[in-house]
Amino acid sequence: MRLLKGRMQLFHAENEFVEWLRAKVWSPGPRVKAGIGDDAAVLAFRRGYEILLKSDMSIEEVHFKAGFHLARSVGHRALARSLSDIAAMGGMPKFALIAIALSQRTAYPWLKSFYAGLLALATRYGVAVVGGDTAVVSHATMVDLVVAGEVEPGRALLRSGARPGDAIYVSGWPGASARGLQLLMGRPRLPLAFLTALRGRTTASRVRTPFNPRHALQSHLYPEPRLTLGRYLLERRLASAAMDVSDGISTDLSRLTEASGVGAVVQLSLFPKPANLQFGRTDWLALALHGGEDYELLFTVSPSKVPLVPPTFQGVPLRRIGEITRSKALRLVGLDGRERGLEPAGYDHFRKA
Amino acid sequence: MRLLKGRMQLFHAENEFVEWLRAKVWSPGPRVKAGIGDDAAVLAFRRGYEILLKSDMSIEEVHFKAGFHLARSVGHRALARSLSDIAAMGGMPKFALIAIALSQRTAYPWLKSFYAGLLALATRYGVAVVGGDTAVVSHATMVDLVVAGEVEPGRALLRSGARPGDAIYVSGWPGASARGLQLLMGRPRLPLAFLTALRGRTTASRVRTPFNPRHALQSHLYPEPRLTLGRYLLERRLASAAMDVSDGISTDLSRLTEASGVGAVVQLSLFPKPANLQFGRTDWLALALHGGEDYELLFTVSPSKVPLVPPTFQGVPLRRIGEITRSKALRLVGLDGRERGLEPAGYDHFRKA
């Protein structure tokens, strides 16, 4: 989900251009195991192992708003987005490059907090920041974060491996991040002291009441990339396909099924629910389905392996929310038990705020 | 050289901040062979070989001006900047990621030409474009280009290897790019047909009259990364240190000597000269010393290897322009034979235009 305009939105509007670009750009060759269209590029530099490479931009007024997002959170999120892509491939992140075009409006304390948030997350996962580029610009701040990681050859979790009959799982609490942004942008404004007290890690032990304000804000401001879960899925060979939920389940599931050439049916009754429904039921389901920036993992498991998937992993629930189908449609079974089509619909926060 | 504000300029102004950042960021460990402060990061993913990783931004109004730079050239230059860094390490580029925040003012033909220029260069050097990120923004267009390459372990050409007595060399025609920009921004405007006829490669055979308008514009709009030269220097073990000239010889030489803990003396009489001095002599020397974006290689050679350096490499002159000194000062011997201090001074095009 993006605050203003979505990644690739331009291209969706201009299919002719996308096709031209793909035809030009996408000539993989044997060394490119996955590229445009998966979470990260999978590259075989030499025989024997593979490198993951991912670039993600964080743009002021698109991915964050200076008035709403603390600098520390902007730094955390910029890195978390790329780490989440590595997690979705089952990889291990190793190195990061930070390119930052810094608005001349921005003061040093902002930059310092930005790096503090970014580096705290990098340190936690053993990611070395090894370079980048810096410039000062007259307009909005823009960050491009590149993470390089590695993965055992031929083992990267791709989007394209889902088969009819596979169970669909999602980790954590989809919708919590979107709920956090609602709270952040709501009136009255939250006290700054409350926000600055939220830092870094969503430790599992702290999530006593999922979707409550503290958890929702934590999920939005400091999303936890599911790196250990990604490794677990890869090492146990549990997942037939995986991706991270960055633009909302409805949108991202459509990408996974498209990459796999399959369809899916999802049951709303299986979604993780807020402990106390302080906000309307419909609203919550919209957040869970279409809210983005959760950075949870969406993965599929073949029927024979379903019994091996634990209900939680390091305190994070792994919910079975549906099933892969041969028919290519995306369908949704509502709380009323009725089935309807599921339209990919990135949630627009500004409309709700 | 940057059109408006220099990379790291912000940091130069705030030493306290740089130190904080370096201390935080720069904890290399055994897997990082070179990082912040060299042309590209040199990373040992596993025992046995090393990966080069470089990120370079190209920002509208900073690195290019929509009114002056053809889209095709902007694409070429965005990639050339990163490839030049790989060349300066003696590496082989393999993969590229393109993150582009596209101004909504920009039309599709612009984007198409941008990619055409970028991909022509990528194809020529066997670089696979494997991913990236795209967003649409309301302000200026901004591109971050990341190149990943490889190099034999322990062999990357670093900035830090220069020793007193080493000869200083520069490839090609430093100052030609700055001259090209002068012509581009001059009055009267150059005919568009003349500019669009300039494409891609500065083949050596074409450079009959260095610094003439065609050569200068070609050097500026379509700089040729010196990848084959970088490999040659590495394979023959000719260079004790190397870097690319992106911000002007005076500035980049000061970086190389600083990294090596040495000084240098440079002789203006040894610089490559324009065939016909259509523009004033002083002006030309200022361009050669302080003009940037040449993407030539600046390298040092130990005295015993000087006889092994050919006068030209694939039609590109390799000029010996000075010598590394024990004293850490940078000195310049003028055309009058008099010695003075050499101040790093990135050339400001807008002042001259």
Side-chain angles (χ1 to χ4, degrees):
Chain A
M1 160 181 37
R2 303 294 174 268
L3 299 186
L4 287 181
K5 292 204 171 189
R7 169 167 52 169
M8 304 301 288
Q9 173 176 326
L10 184 76
F11 298 112
H12 285 154
E14 288 276 337
N15 281 336
E16 177 265 338
F17 175 73
V18 186
E19 276 163 35
W20 175 86
L21 183 61
R22 282 216 173 209
K24 284 272 199 184
V25 168
W26 185 231
S27 53
R31 289 160 65 102
V32 182
K33 307 296 181 187
I36 294 167
D38 218 305
D39 293 286
V42 182
L43 311 172
F45 274 81
R46 301 248 168 132
R47 232 190 315 245
Y49 78 93
E50 289 166 5
I51 299 290
L52 304 170
L53 209 51
K54 188 64 194 354
S55 156
D56 271 299
M57 286 187 292
S58 297
I59 304 171
E60 192 178 337
E61 297 300 322
V62 178
H63 302 92
F64 66 92
K65 283 180 87 77
F68 289 100
H69 291 95
L70 301 173
R72 185 181 176 90
S73 159
V74 175
H76 177 106
R77 283 156 40 99
L79 179 59
R81 293 181 63 207
S82 292
L83 291 185
S84 177
D85 286 311
I86 303 294
M89 313 290 284
M92 295 163 283
K94 297 291 172 187
F95 304 106
L97 295 177
I98 308 168
I100 178 162
L102 195 67
S103 172
Q104 60 195 17
R105 289 180 270 103
T106 303
Y108 289 104
W110 191 94
L111 196 60
K112 218 159 159 169
S113 295
F114 169 88
Y115 272 105
L118 195 153
L119 294 170
L121 184 61
T123 303
R124 190 133 53 75
Y125 287 107
V127 174
V129 175
V130 292
D133 195 3
T134 307
V136 178
V137 295
S138 57
H139 45 79
T141 291
M142 196 169 305
V143 178
D144 184 41
L145 212 131
V146 174
V147 170
E150 56 189 20
V151 69
E152 293 81 354
R155 296 285 301 281
L157 306 175
L158 305 182
R159 298 180 180 182
S160 53
R163 297 291 165 259
D166 286 0
I168 301 169
Y169 283 81
V170 70
S171 66
W173 301 271
S177 171
R179 176 60 181 156
L181 183 56
Q182 275 190 340
L183 293 169
L184 202 60
M185 299 183 64
R187 295 280 179 276
R189 296 289 293 273
L190 296 163
L192 191 63
F194 179 71
L195 293 177
T196 50
L198 297 168
R199 298 214 156 196
R201 185 161 215 172
T202 315
T203 50
S205 58
R206 267 193 236 150
V207 186
R208 296 236 167 72
T209 45
F211 299 95
N212 80 350
R214 177 174 296 275
H215 176 248
L217 285 163
Q218 182 82 29
S219 300
H220 180 73
L221 294 173
Y222 301 100
E224 190 68 19
R226 301 299 186 198
L227 284 161
T228 52
L229 174 60
R231 289 300 297 163
Y232 176 83
L233 295 175
L234 181 144
E235 284 167 2
R236 304 289 175 103
R237 297 178 188 266
L238 288 177
S240 52
M243 69 179 297
D244 70 326
V245 184
S246 55
D247 293 333
I249 287 179
S250 65
T251 298
D252 289 327
L253 182 59
S254 75
R255 289 174 181 151
L256 188 145
T257 53
E258 196 178 324
S260 296
V262 295
V265 58
V266 164
Q267 300 215 21
L268 273 184
S269 61
L270 301 176
F271 273 61
K273 285 175 196 54
N276 52 359
L277 288 167
Q278 293 171 307
F279 45 111
R281 179 173 298 242
T282 317
D283 197 23
W284 159 66
L285 288 172
L287 292 176
L289 272 179
H290 309 302
E293 300 189 305
D294 282 311
Y295 303 113
E296 296 292 354
L297 295 192
L298 185 68
F299 58 98
T300 59
V301 178
S302 72
S304 66
K305 291 185 175 167
V306 164
L308 305 176
V309 180
T312 63
F313 176 79
Q314 297 183 345
V316 176
L318 306 181
R319 297 262 178 179
R320 182 177 174 173
I321 57 168
E323 196 176 299
I324 295 293
T325 60
R326 191 171 308 275
S327 143
K328 294 195 180 173
L330 281 194
R331 287 169 300 144
L332 180 74
V333 179
L335 293 180
D336 53 6
R338 272 197 282 184
E339 197 177 295
R340 65 207 81 170
L342 172 59
E343 293 298 319
Y347 188 77
D348 182 342
H349 287 295
F350 284 101
R351 215 162 42 208
K352 286 277 174 186
Chain B
M1 163 177 35
R2 304 291 175 267
L3 298 185
L4 287 181
K5 292 204 173 191
R7 167 168 54 170
M8 303 302 288
Q9 174 176 326
L10 185 76
F11 298 113
H12 285 155
E14 288 276 337
N15 281 336
E16 178 265 337
F17 175 74
V18 186
E19 277 163 34
W20 175 85
L21 182 61
R22 281 218 173 209
K24 285 272 199 183
V25 167
W26 185 231
S27 52
R31 288 160 65 100
V32 182
K33 306 295 179 185
I36 294 167
D38 218 305
D39 294 286
V42 182
L43 311 171
F45 274 81
R46 302 249 169 130
R47 232 191 315 244
Y49 78 93
E50 291 167 5
I51 299 290
L52 303 171
L53 210 51
K54 189 62 192 359
S55 155
D56 271 299
M57 287 187 290
S58 297
I59 305 172
E60 192 179 338
E61 297 300 321
V62 179
H63 301 92
F64 66 92
K65 283 181 90 77
F68 289 101
H69 290 95
L70 302 172
R72 186 182 176 90
S73 159
V74 175
H76 177 106
R77 283 156 40 99
L79 179 59
R81 293 181 62 205
S82 292
L83 291 185
S84 178
D85 285 312
I86 303 293
M89 314 290 283
M92 295 163 283
K94 298 292 174 189
F95 305 106
L97 296 176
I98 308 168
I100 178 162
L102 195 66
S103 173
Q104 60 195 18
R105 289 181 272 104
T106 302
Y108 289 105
W110 190 95
L111 196 59
K112 220 160 158 169
S113 295
F114 168 88
Y115 272 105
L118 195 153
L119 294 170
L121 184 61
T123 304
R124 191 135 50 77
Y125 287 107
V127 174
V129 175
V130 293
D133 196 3
T134 307
V136 178
V137 294
S138 57
H139 44 78
T141 291
M142 197 169 303
V143 178
D144 185 40
L145 212 130
V146 174
V147 170
E150 56 190 22
V151 69
E152 293 80 355
R155 296 285 301 279
L157 305 176
L158 305 181
R159 297 181 181 181
S160 52
R163 297 292 164 259
D166 285 2
I168 302 168
Y169 282 80
V170 70
S171 66
W173 302 271
S177 171
R179 176 61 181 156
L181 184 56
Q182 274 190 340
L183 293 170
L184 203 60
M185 299 183 66
R187 295 283 178 274
R189 296 291 290 275
L190 296 162
L192 191 64
F194 179 71
L195 293 176
T196 51
L198 297 168
R199 297 214 158 195
R201 184 160 215 172
T202 313
T203 49
S205 58
R206 268 194 236 147
V207 186
R208 295 237 168 73
T209 45
F211 299 96
N212 79 350
R214 177 173 296 276
H215 175 248
L217 285 162
Q218 181 82 29
S219 300
H220 180 73
L221 294 173
Y222 300 101
E224 190 68 19
R226 302 298 185 198
L227 284 161
T228 51
L229 175 59
R231 289 301 296 163
Y232 176 82
L233 295 176
L234 181 143
E235 284 167 1
R236 305 288 175 105
R237 297 179 188 266
L238 287 177
S240 52
M243 71 179 297
D244 70 326
V245 184
S246 55
D247 292 334
I249 288 180
S250 64
T251 298
D252 289 328
L253 182 59
S254 74
R255 289 174 181 150
L256 187 146
T257 53
E258 197 178 325
S260 296
V262 294
V265 57
V266 163
Q267 300 215 21
L268 273 185
S269 61
L270 301 176
F271 273 60
K273 284 173 197 60
N276 51 0
L277 288 167
Q278 293 172 307
F279 45 111
R281 180 173 297 244
T282 318
D283 197 23
W284 159 66
L285 289 172
L287 293 175
L289 271 179
H290 309 303
E293 299 188 306
D294 282 311
Y295 304 114
E296 296 293 354
L297 295 193
L298 185 68
F299 58 98
T300 58
V301 178
S302 72
S304 67
K305 291 184 175 169
V306 164
L308 306 175
V309 180
T312 63
F313 176 79
Q314 296 182 347
V316 176
L318 306 180
R319 297 261 179 179
R320 182 176 174 172
I321 58 168
E323 195 176 300
I324 295 294
T325 59
R326 191 170 308 277
S327 144
K328 294 194 179 173
L330 281 193
R331 287 170 298 144
L332 180 73
V333 179
L335 294 180
D336 53 7
R338 272 197 281 186
E339 198 178 295
R340 65 207 80 170
L342 172 60
E343 293 298 320
Y347 188 76
D348 184 342
H349 288 295
F350 284 103
R351 216 161 41 207
K352 286 276 174 187

